[in-house]
Amino acid sequence: MSPESDWNLTLISGGASNASYPLTEQGVQVGRGDDCDIALNSQNVSRRHARIFVYQGQPYVQDLGSRNGVYVNGVRIQEQRLGSGDTLTMGEFVFQVTSASDPVVTGRRSSRSVLYLAVAGVVLCLLVAVLWKVTSGQKNAQVAVPRTPVAQSSDVQNMFATLDKSSRSARPPGAPQGVGQQGSTGAQEAPAGRAGDKRNAMVREYLDRAELLQEAGKLTEALKQYKLALKLDPTCALCLSRKERLEKEIQARINKNLEDGMKSFKALRYQEAINSWERVLNLDPDPGSQQHQLAKQYIADAEAKLAAQQRF
């Protein structure tokens, strides 16, 4: 089982309110079936209704072909990225997406503000002490006054250096280090971060291109883009789910065209049969596949029949 993330799914209406479910990269399945991670006993909920998962630190929801649909903030969707505070509606059940890291970040900011105020208070006390020494009747005031700010500045710099060091040590594990931070760890992590950002950008580009091709009806080209994205990032759950869904759609179309072509062939409509089987070749361009070879053989038979028909 994949490790839990900072994201949670909380039931806020329709059942035992405030029931919370942690989200993972593997995802949780919601539906009426007993095998679902979150089982909802309602006829308005499909047996396998939706899947909510985390990809690269962000939650996503995917409709698994439900009858009544999945709604994000009141809008029906098929697949969508989620944010903290978004609501998910399935039947009469309403969930809310929350991030456990939100209050933590706020707490860190508050702690840091308190620390800065404390340092400012110390600096103010030092300045008051310096002024008191200057006015207390030192013999060589002209020499003492210039030296005091130098010592004062050094003390303040040390305090803020300590503050910056404690701030860096309070950074959560895995967080990127600052540009000016010294040490071999920071030098090694920077290139890796840039490489990861470039890879993620390329994966996103493949996904966007595949979506455009799929909308244009170029399913085989879209499938290639999903495969390229998975080759670049084999852990991309979104790429895998879209690839599998598209493969099912392509196979369904191949089966339908094979069947339509056979019906046309038996009805002596040979040109219509040829057109249906040529669509199979376009959907399955691999000449070594069984479906491709079968469609090619059917086309040859239909062309022979069509030529004989046209002679009479």
Side-chain angles (χ1 to χ4, degrees):
M1 183 177 177
S2 56
E4 295 181 0
S5 66
D6 290 337
W7 296 96
N8 292 281
L9 192 66
T10 304
L11 181 63
I12 61 175
S13 178
S17 298
N18 298 325
S20 183
Y21 307 91
L23 298 179
T24 65
E25 292 182 358
Q26 180 179 345
V28 294
Q29 186 169 286
V30 183
R32 194 177 68 250
D34 294 334
D35 57 337
C36 292
D37 300 301
I38 303 177
L40 304 176
N41 185 17
S42 172
Q43 293 301 318
N44 296 323
V45 177
S46 299
R47 191 177 65 84
R48 293 175 69 251
H49 200 101
R51 176 170 172 262
I52 302 97
F53 60 93
V54 175
Y55 172 66
Q56 293 184 349
Q58 291 295 324
Y60 289 81
V61 59
Q62 178 185 10
D63 191 330
L64 299 177
S66 64
R67 184 177 69 256
N68 293 325
V70 178
Y71 295 81
V72 175
N73 299 328
V75 179
R76 185 165 183 172
I77 56 90
Q78 181 62 38
E79 185 173 281
Q80 183 169 313
R81 176 176 171 178
L82 300 170
S84 182
D86 285 350
T87 58
L88 288 177
T89 304
M90 288 166 271
E92 64 268 32
F93 298 92
V94 181
F95 296 85
Q96 186 173 42
V97 180
T98 58
S99 174
S101 61
D102 289 346
V104 176
V105 173
T106 304
R108 283 178 183 157
R109 290 175 180 172
S110 299
S111 299
R112 184 173 296 180
S113 300
V114 171
L115 186 57
Y116 276 114
L117 288 173
V119 171
V122 172
V123 172
L124 182 60
C125 292
L126 289 174
L127 288 174
V128 171
V130 169
L131 291 174
W132 181 80
K133 287 183 179 180
V134 171
T135 57
S136 63
Q138 293 181 349
K139 292 183 179 180
N140 195 358
Q142 294 180 351
V143 178
V145 172
R147 289 180 181 177
T148 304
V150 175
Q152 171 71 14
S153 176
S154 177
D155 291 339
V156 173
Q157 289 174 357
N158 290 337
M159 289 179 191
F160 278 98
T162 303
L163 174 64
D164 185 57
K165 183 177 179 181
S166 63
S167 175
R168 290 198 301 268
S169 64
R171 182 181 294 111
Q177 298 191 12
V179 176
Q181 186 174 345
Q182 298 180 353
S184 59
T185 303
Q188 292 173 1
E189 287 181 357
R194 288 194 295 270
D197 292 341
K198 183 177 180 180
R199 183 196 66 178
N200 294 339
M202 292 180 67
V203 169
R204 185 69 258 176
E205 183 178 344
Y206 284 135
L207 286 173
D208 292 341
R209 193 179 305 162
E211 188 174 353
L212 292 174
L213 289 168
Q214 195 168 347
E215 290 177 356
K218 300 179 180 180
L219 304 186
T220 53
E221 290 86 346
L223 184 60
K224 289 179 182 178
Q225 298 300 314
Y226 288 133
K227 290 180 178 179
L228 287 172
L230 280 169
K231 186 176 180 181
L232 195 61
D233 183 5
T235 65
C236 177
L238 190 61
C239 305
L240 181 61
S241 65
R242 291 188 178 181
K243 168 182 166 292
E244 291 176 347
R245 188 192 308 164
L246 181 56
E247 286 174 338
K248 290 179 182 178
E249 181 181 348
I250 291 174
Q251 187 59 51
R253 294 195 181 194
I254 288 174
N255 294 339
K256 186 177 187 305
N257 280 288
L258 285 173
E259 183 180 350
D260 290 347
M262 188 57 65
K263 289 179 180 179
S264 299
F265 185 85
K266 291 179 179 179
L268 307 183
R269 298 194 300 270
Y270 301 119
Q271 188 57 56
E272 291 182 13
I274 291 172
N275 294 339
S276 294
W277 291 329
E278 283 181 343
R279 284 192 287 269
V280 174
L281 297 181
N282 292 331
L283 289 167
D284 185 4
D286 181 10
S289 73
Q290 183 178 359
Q291 296 174 142
H292 186 98
Q293 294 177 358
L294 187 62
K296 200 170 183 181
Q297 182 61 48
Y298 286 165
I299 291 172
D301 294 342
E303 288 176 341
K305 292 286 186 180
L306 182 60
Q309 188 184 61
Q310 291 173 349
R311 285 197 297 266
F312 294 100

